[in-house]
């Protein structure tokens, strides 16, 4: 499953609407739809914002090709970190996986 598919399924499971996400991030619902469909690349700024606003997302699971579930355990080490900490963690995982 690709990253945008995992986030789309997670969002759907949470009952979030494209409008709700778009309002929070500051774009149009159409932009979110393009990210979630894979037609437009999901910007790193959106990804870090989404992870920051959904602290139960497990970063390793999100970037792992083997894992489908992206919800972390309750006390994950990266909970409540800053946007730059999240981006640094994403880069570390990508370097390890790629």
């Amino acid at each position: 499953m690709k990253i945008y598919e995992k986030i789309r399924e997670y969002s759907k499971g949470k009952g979030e609407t494209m409008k709700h996400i778009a309002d929070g991030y500051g774009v149009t619902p159409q932009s979110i739809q393009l990210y979630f469909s894979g037609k437009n690349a999901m910007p790193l700024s959106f990804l870090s914002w989404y992870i920051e606003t959904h602290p139960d997302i497990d970063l390793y699971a999100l970037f792992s090709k083997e894992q489908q579930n992206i919800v972390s355990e309750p006390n994950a080490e990266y909970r409540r970190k800053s946007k730059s900490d999240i981006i640094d963690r994403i880069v570390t995982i990508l370097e390890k996986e790629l």
Side-chain angles (χ1 to χ4, degrees):
M1 207 180 228
K2 296 184 185 258
I3 292 170
Y4 73 86
E5 294 170 319
K6 290 180 180 182
I7 291 179
R8 180 184 64 215
E9 293 305 311
Y10 169 85
S11 176
K12 188 185 298 183
K14 289 282 190 183
E16 296 177 326
T17 64
M18 299 292 161
K19 180 166 178 25
H20 172 79
I21 297 167
D23 288 347
Y25 183 57
V27 296
T28 65
Q30 293 80 7
S31 294
I32 301 301
Q33 176 59 36
L34 291 171
Y35 301 159
F36 282 13
S37 68
K39 291 181 181 175
N40 280 5
M42 195 174 280
L44 186 55
S45 60
F46 172 79
L47 189 57
S48 63
W49 170 83
Y50 196 81
I51 292 166
E52 187 174 38
T53 58
H54 298 83
D56 60 330
I57 292 177
D58 183 308
L59 289 175
Y60 186 79
L62 180 63
F63 290 98
S64 172
K65 293 178 182 176
E66 291 87 37
Q67 295 187 18
Q68 302 296 322
N69 184 9
I70 63 171
V71 178
S72 69
E73 295 183 15
N75 294 320
E77 70 178 75
Y78 48 80
R79 282 184 151 296
R80 297 181 186 91
K81 297 235 177 178
S82 71
K83 194 176 290 187
S84 65
D85 289 335
I86 292 169
I87 291 171
D88 290 344
R89 179 76 173 131
I90 290 169
V91 170
T92 301
I93 291 168
L94 288 175
E95 288 172 346
K96 180 180 177 185
E97 291 294 317
L98 301 175

